């Protein structure tokens, strides 16, 4: 506790708590702010045991006023710690602090996987929507008053209450009414699951939304590659050189220079090979098959006149003029 507060004596328990919190602030770079509504002590023991196995993290629960006071004093002790005032502002309602140097996503998954089913309590906020399907309830006809109070249409079938149509009793984020809580208890329904929930992440002086933890390294790489491709495409279209488009521009420029060299007398070292391949295809294995084909073609050309001569019809002999007259 601060020395300037003369005359005030703090208990040893508070002094130990303040020293522990300051040590955690110095030793750990990442802090997860968790909501502990409807979480029992036994459930907290299970979570702490899981964190001791790995990933390593330490949970600190306490009074918000005490936590805020220690954090603000720690932030004022050094200008480099001024960003911890943001962490103090997050300590409201029923929250706790989880200190770690490991990957926050892994710690978050470990904290939130431990859940306990529980029944609905009047006045509590419903974490999920709750509905009762149409069908028999197993309740006696004397219990129809609960259904009538909630405006649920029912009928008596074989000595039991039966709901005619599906009815939604609770909506996520809204308070559970006393009649809804009693009805769900009578029907033996435990629709809610409670556990620790990460509401904020404090890292390197910044406050992050827990949804950021769902972004993987592959997602970041894919987004970066997509942005680089877009920049390269724009650069190639407008002719403005950028680093990511330089390889494509160099290849395109070489193709243009090679095409110009092949059409003109201009030449350069890289174009000599292409010109030589065009001028002497047989030297590189090209035209060998074509030469054979040409020879075959020559033989065919020689055989064609012979075949034509053989098939040519013999000319008919002209009939000799007869030396007589019909009127002789």
């Amino acid at each position: 506790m601060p020395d300037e507060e003369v005359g005030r004596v703090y208990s040893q328990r508070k002094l130990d708590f303040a020293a522990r919190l300051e040590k955690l602030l110095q030793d750990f770079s990442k802090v997860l702010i968790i909501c502990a509504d409807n979480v029992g002590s036994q459930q907290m023991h299970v979570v702490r045991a899981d964190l001791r196995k790995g990933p390593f993290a330490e949970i600190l629960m306490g009074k918000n006023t005490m936590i805020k006071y220690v954090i603000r004093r720690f932030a004022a002790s050094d200008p480099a710690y001024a960003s911890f005032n943001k962490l103090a502002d997050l300590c409201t309602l029923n929250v706790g602090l989880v200190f770690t140097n490991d990957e926050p996503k892994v710690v978050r998954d470990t904290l939130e996987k431990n859940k306990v089913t529980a029944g609905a309590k009047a006045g509590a906020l419903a974490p999920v929507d709750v509905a009762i399907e149409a069908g028999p309830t197993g309740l006696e006809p004397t219990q129809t008053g609960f259904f009538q109070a909630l405006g649920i249409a029912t009928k008596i079938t074989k000595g039991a209450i039966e709901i005619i149509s599906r009815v939604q009793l609770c909506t996520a984020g809204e308070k559970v009414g006393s009649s809804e809580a009693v009805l769900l208890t009578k029907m033996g329904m435990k629709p809610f699951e409670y556990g620790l929930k990460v509401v904020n992440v404090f890292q390197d002086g910044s406050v992050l939304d827990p949804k950021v933890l769902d972004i993987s390294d592959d997602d970041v790489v894919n987004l970066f590659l997509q942005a680089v491709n877009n920049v390269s495409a724009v650069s190639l279209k407008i002719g403005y050189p950028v680093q990511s488009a330089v390889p494509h521009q160099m290849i395109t420029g070489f193709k243009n220079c090679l095409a110009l060299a092949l059409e003109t007398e201009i030449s350069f070292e890289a174009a000599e090979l292409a010109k030589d391949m065009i001028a002497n295809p047989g030297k590189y294995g090209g035209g060998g098959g074509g030469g054979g084909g040409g020879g075959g073609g020559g033989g065919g050309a020689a055989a064609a006149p012979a075949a034509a001569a053989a098939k040519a019809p013999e000319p008919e002999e002209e009939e000799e003029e007869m030396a007589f007259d019909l009127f002789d």
Side-chain angles (χ1 to χ4, degrees):
M1 293 294 130
D3 298 335
E4 61 270 13
E5 295 187 6
V6 180
R8 183 169 183 179
V9 179
Y10 292 95
S11 64
Q12 187 62 39
R13 181 178 60 85
K14 289 185 177 181
L15 294 175
D16 294 341
F17 181 87
R20 179 190 174 195
L21 178 53
E22 289 184 352
K23 188 175 186 306
L24 292 174
L25 293 173
Q26 292 176 349
D27 295 344
F28 296 95
S29 61
K30 304 166 187 175
V31 184
L32 281 69
I33 295 86
I34 57 173
C35 177
D37 290 340
N38 302 301
V39 178
S41 58
Q42 181 60 34
Q43 191 173 355
M44 290 293 296
H45 291 324
V46 174
V47 174
R48 292 178 190 272
D50 290 342
L51 291 177
R52 282 194 291 269
K53 299 175 184 177
F56 181 77
E58 189 165 347
I59 301 177
L60 180 71
M61 305 293 293
K63 291 185 177 181
N64 291 340
T65 53
M66 182 69 174
I67 294 176
K68 286 182 179 180
Y69 181 82
V70 176
I71 293 177
R72 294 192 188 282
R73 187 182 67 177
F74 178 78
S77 63
D78 192 330
Y81 299 149
S83 60
F84 280 90
N85 287 313
K86 300 178 183 178
L87 178 61
D89 296 336
L90 299 175
C91 297
T92 58
L93 302 177
N94 188 22
V95 298
L97 303 179
V98 180
F99 297 86
T100 183
N101 285 326
D102 292 336
E103 185 64 31
K105 182 179 184 301
V106 181
V107 178
R108 190 273 309 269
D109 295 341
T110 304
L111 292 171
E112 295 187 350
K113 74 177 182 180
N114 294 283
K115 295 183 180 296
V116 176
T117 58
K121 296 181 180 179
L125 294 178
V128 295
D129 294 337
V130 180
I132 300 179
E133 301 295 336
T137 62
L139 299 178
E140 299 179 354
T142 55
Q143 306 292 330
T144 55
F146 294 103
F147 296 94
Q148 293 175 358
L150 296 173
I152 301 175
T154 59
K155 64 180 180 179
I156 306 300
T157 303
K158 296 181 180 181
I161 300 175
E162 181 178 345
I163 298 176
I164 297 176
S165 60
R166 184 179 185 273
V167 179
Q168 183 168 336
L169 289 181
C170 304
T171 303
E174 297 183 1
K175 289 186 177 181
V176 180
S178 57
S179 300
E180 289 87 346
V182 173
L183 178 58
L184 291 172
T185 302
K186 286 183 174 294
M187 296 183 65
M189 296 178 62
K190 293 184 177 181
F192 300 149
E193 287 185 344
Y194 293 114
L196 297 175
K197 182 179 180 182
V198 178
V199 294
N200 285 293
V201 178
F202 181 80
Q203 181 177 355
D204 298 329
S206 301
V207 179
L208 307 176
D209 190 279
K211 294 181 180 179
V212 176
L213 301 180
D214 296 327
I215 301 176
S216 63
D217 294 340
D218 293 337
D219 296 332
V220 176
V221 172
N222 291 334
L223 290 174
F224 179 77
L225 292 177
Q226 183 179 356
V228 170
N229 291 336
N230 294 337
V231 172
S232 300
V234 173
S235 172
L236 294 174
K237 184 65 176 178
I238 64 177
Y240 184 83
V242 295
Q243 185 174 1
S244 60
V246 167
H248 306 283
Q249 292 173 332
M250 291 182 65
I251 294 174
T252 303
F254 174 75
K255 290 180 179 179
N256 294 336
C257 292
L258 182 60
L260 181 62
L262 294 176
E263 294 295 332
T264 63
E265 297 298 328
I266 301 174
S267 182
F268 53 93
E269 182 179 358
E272 291 295 334
L273 179 61
K275 286 188 174 185
D276 189 48
M277 292 178 67
I278 295 175
N280 306 302
K283 180 180 177 181
Y284 300 93
K311 294 181 180 179
E314 296 181 359
E316 296 182 358
E317 295 180 359
E318 296 182 358
E319 296 182 359
E320 296 180 359
E321 295 183 357
M322 301 298 292
F324 65 90
D325 190 355
L326 295 175
F327 299 100
D328 286 348

